[in-house]
Amino acid sequence: MRRVFQSPLEVGFVQNPYPFYESVRGAGNLFYWEEFGWVTAVSYRTVNRFFRDRNWGREIPAESRPHPEPRLEPFERLDRHSMLELDQPRHTRLRGLVNRAFTSRQISSMEAEIRELSHVLIDRLPATAELQKNFCESLPVMVIARLLGVQTAMCAQMLEWSHDMVAMYQARRDREIEDRAACAAAEFTEFMQGEIDARRQNPSDDLISSLIAARDNEQRLTNEEMISNCILLMNAGHEATANAMGNGVKTILESGLDPAEILSSDMREATVEEILRYDPPLHIFERWAKSDQEMFGHEFHRGDMVALVLAAANRDPEIFDQPARFDPGRRQRTHTSFGAGIHFCVGAPLARLELAVGLSALFERCPKLALAEPPTYADRYHFHGLEALWVILS
């Protein structure tokens, strides 16, 4: 197996990791990333196989788990009850209960509300505006708040908690980031407990009330499970969608394609899928071996981890014709940005709807939208989103 050196903090890599992905993909299905100490998968076939193979999962086998640190307990307590970090059978139970509340009909009914929020945010923009924070981040957090039934006034605070918590998954994680994440987890937990207590007393037409009422063969979500998975829906739903939205605006503006055409009612769904394939918001996801096994010529042992590079798989030339080209009209639209298998992103339908409606509203209102300066990506690998997106509206 090829051993490769590439700092995830190097400026050129942060701004454009795709040449690196192309170079390592040529060496085979797997390589060893020295800086991380990871066996890493880069081809579409390999990434898809690890996602779907039941011998690989999100739970770290007990004997391989790092020793817990008491100072991180508020953060780790949420992980212990999050369906994202669990495998069967508990994952199946949690996913089933959440799906009973987080229905496709409920999501599709939000289209008008997402459009309304998009226009509210666009109305607030000056002639030269920074879009990443003032539109691409603001829209998803407002949508999630509405969905949960949380007051819009809490959006800024939830956004701060979310940023502090997801920083734990960045390559530049350090003691300061860990302490902030633990503090954010404790405060977010306390807030969400208050929201759940209020809905138990006075149920409403929102996701928290639906989660309280959801049952499967007389089973319900425990209080801890409810808190963890409400926070998961907020953090995962907001962070990924915000980055995808900003990356999408940048991609459309740099492509030279007509936004009115590619975001028309006939094309917008295909354009959203191509944005997610071409420049996804999350570049790496991990899986752990449940048993000793051989995969793609490498001997793995129980507890070993493999890193799946979604962004490399999405540009595999064996699957996608001219993969470095942004082409909303391409026939092959299957990508790995939402994962695959039992952990396929539960919020994918909402993310797709937010991107379709938000981007359409933005370019309808601002048909002459243009970049005011070259956008730069934030140093948050393995997340991939813009630090800032300055644009001229007209």
Side-chain angles (χ1 to χ4, degrees), residues 115-126:
R115 184 178 295 108
E116 176 192 349
L117 290 172
S118 299
H119 285 292
V120 168
L121 291 170
I122 295 167
D123 286 340
R124 297 174 183 172
L125 296 174

Side-chain angles (χ1 to χ4, degrees), residues 82-348:
S82 168
M83 62 183 174
L84 181 63
E85 307 299 338
L86 298 169
D87 293 325
Q88 297 172 310
R90 194 174 172 203
H91 171 270
T92 305
R93 172 181 159 271
L94 288 176
R95 177 101 179 201
L97 287 166
V98 171
N99 281 341
R100 279 168 170 75
F102 200 49
T103 64
S104 57
R105 186 172 69 176
Q106 182 183 27
I107 292 167
S108 62
S109 71
M110 294 191 69
E111 179 166 353
E113 195 164 9
I114 294 171
R115 184 178 295 108
E116 176 192 349
L117 290 172
S118 299
H119 285 292
V120 168
L121 291 170
I122 295 167
D123 286 340
R124 297 174 183 172
L125 296 174
T128 299
E130 197 290 296
L131 276 190
Q132 185 63 32
K133 292 182 175 60
N134 296 300
F135 184 79
C136 302
E137 286 189 359
S138 297
L139 179 60
V141 73
M142 291 171 73
V143 169
I144 291 289
R146 291 278 184 96
L147 191 64
L148 291 171
V150 174
Q151 291 184 356
T152 305
M154 283 300 300
C155 284
Q157 179 60 75
M158 291 196 300
L159 192 58
E160 183 178 339
W161 285 331
S162 176
H163 285 328
D164 285 346
M165 290 177 68
V166 301
M168 289 285 276
Y169 306 107
Q170 298 172 18
R172 59 188 181 90
R173 170 176 167 174
D174 57 19
R175 175 65 182 259
E176 182 181 353
I177 285 174
E178 291 176 347
D179 290 343
R180 284 206 308 267
C183 181
E187 292 176 359
F188 209 161
T189 296
E190 183 179 3
F191 168 75
M192 196 56 65
Q193 182 67 71
E195 293 292 306
I196 291 168
D197 290 344
R199 297 314 188 287
R200 290 190 191 280
Q201 294 296 320
N202 296 293
S204 184
D205 183 21
D206 56 46
L207 183 57
I208 293 177
S209 299
S210 296
L211 288 170
I212 292 170
R215 62 172 66 231
D216 182 9
N217 295 325
E218 300 306 315
Q219 293 190 47
R220 292 180 182 269
L221 292 167
T222 68
N223 191 67
E224 292 78 10
E225 290 168 347
M226 209 171 318
I227 291 171
S228 292
N229 289 287
C230 283
I231 291 175
L232 168 65
L233 291 172
M234 167 61 199
N235 290 355
H238 159 261
E239 293 287 341
T241 307
N243 286 342
M245 187 89 66
N247 296 355
V249 173
K250 173 183 180 291
T251 297
I252 290 170
L253 292 178
E254 292 179 342
S255 72
L257 299 174
D258 181 5
E261 178 181 344
I262 65 174
L263 291 171
S264 66
S265 58
D266 292 338
M267 281 289 294
R268 72 177 192 176
E269 290 182 6
T271 298
V272 165
E273 295 308 305
E274 179 67 351
I275 287 168
L276 291 165
R277 180 203 70 84
Y278 180 80
D279 201 22
L282 176 67
H283 277 211
I284 287 182
F285 217 59
E286 303 90 1
R287 288 292 186 271
W288 279 267
K290 297 181 179 181
S291 60
D292 296 348
Q293 58 194 284
E294 180 184 335
M295 291 281 279
F296 301 100
H298 181 73
E299 291 290 340
F300 289 96
H301 300 287
R302 175 177 164 85
D304 284 352
M305 194 204 83
V306 64
L308 312 181
V309 188
L310 316 183
N314 286 352
R315 294 199 182 192
D316 188 337
E318 291 191 6
I319 304 297
F320 304 99
D321 182 47
Q322 298 184 5
R325 177 187 176 202
F326 177 67
D327 178 12
R330 69 171 64 248
R331 292 183 179 180
Q332 173 54 275
R333 297 180 188 172
T334 304
H335 54 76
T336 65
S337 300
F338 288 125
I342 67 168
H343 283 285
F344 183 82
C345 177
V346 71

